[in-house]
Amino acid sequence: MPFPPTPTSESSSHTGQCHCGGVRFKFTISPPLHQYPVNSCNCSICSKNGYLLVYPFQKDFSLEQGHDLLKEYQFGSKHVWHQFCGECGSSCFIRIPEKSALLPDGSNSIAVVNTRMLDDFDDEKFHINKVDGRSF
Ligand SMILES: [Zn+2]
């Protein structure tokens, strides 16, 4: 499976917020969310935070509110920043630096969003893609 998934002619748009509502965002994603492989990983941080991740392009993502509330957490090899609301602690996004080895060439402008923050969150409709991050 390519990462991120290859866009199709269809897309869907979503809004989300952290638990306290201080952090608000919106994005458009293709394939649409009900067809998108949502990553569920068993590594330590994904398990603790309950991440169910999707990867809209950065150009299709906007943080509407809460820039000042977001705090960042790094661990291990410190390749990425886990962003959470400093008020309510909700794990919202993962920030991947540009030119990261984690990303294939040309796709260094994606946002990593925890779908659990979505206003229309419904994991019954998701195509969950199990990722064995614990083994990496
Ligand atoms: Zn919050």
Side-chain angles (χ1 to χ4, degrees):
M1 184 182 303
F3 173 82
T6 306
T8 66
S9 58
E10 292 180 275
S11 64
S12 62
S13 296
H14 306 272
T15 57
Q17 62 180 3
C18 65
H19 190 264
C20 75
V23 175
R24 292 201 54 83
F25 62 93
K26 64 181 182 184
F27 66 88
T28 298
I29 197 164
S30 178
L33 194 59
H34 65 276
Q35 297 170 6
Y36 198 98
V38 177
N39 275 353
S40 174
C41 175
N42 63 3
C43 83
S44 62
I45 189 82
C46 290
S47 299
K48 293 289 186 194
N49 286 345
Y51 283 146
L52 289 174
L53 300 175
V54 295
Y55 309 87
F57 291 110
Q58 196 72 52
K59 66 178 173 59
D60 298 325
F61 173 90
S62 64
L63 185 61
E64 303 283 286
Q65 184 182 306
H67 301 75
D68 50 333
L69 277 177
L70 283 173
K71 299 245 187 294
E72 298 197 315
Y73 172 66
Q74 280 192 306
F75 73 104
S77 50
K78 302 193 173 179
H79 288 312
V80 302
W81 289 265
H82 296 268
Q83 298 189 302
F84 60 96
C85 173
E87 182 68 24
C88 67
S90 298
S91 298
C92 300
F93 319 111
I94 301 172
R95 185 162 68 83
I96 301 179
E98 289 187 25
K99 299 194 168 71
S100 168
L102 297 173
L103 299 173
D105 286 347
S107 66
N108 59 1
S109 55
I110 58 170
V112 184
V113 177
N114 185 7
T115 56
R116 290 190 183 275
M117 301 302 126
L118 298 185
D119 295 326
D120 59 351
F121 175 77
D122 182 358
D123 58 351
E124 297 287 312
K125 294 180 182 165
F126 283 172
H127 292 273
I128 299 292
N129 178 44
K130 297 259 186 188
V131 178
D132 186 16
R134 188 177 293 167
S135 300
F136 296 154

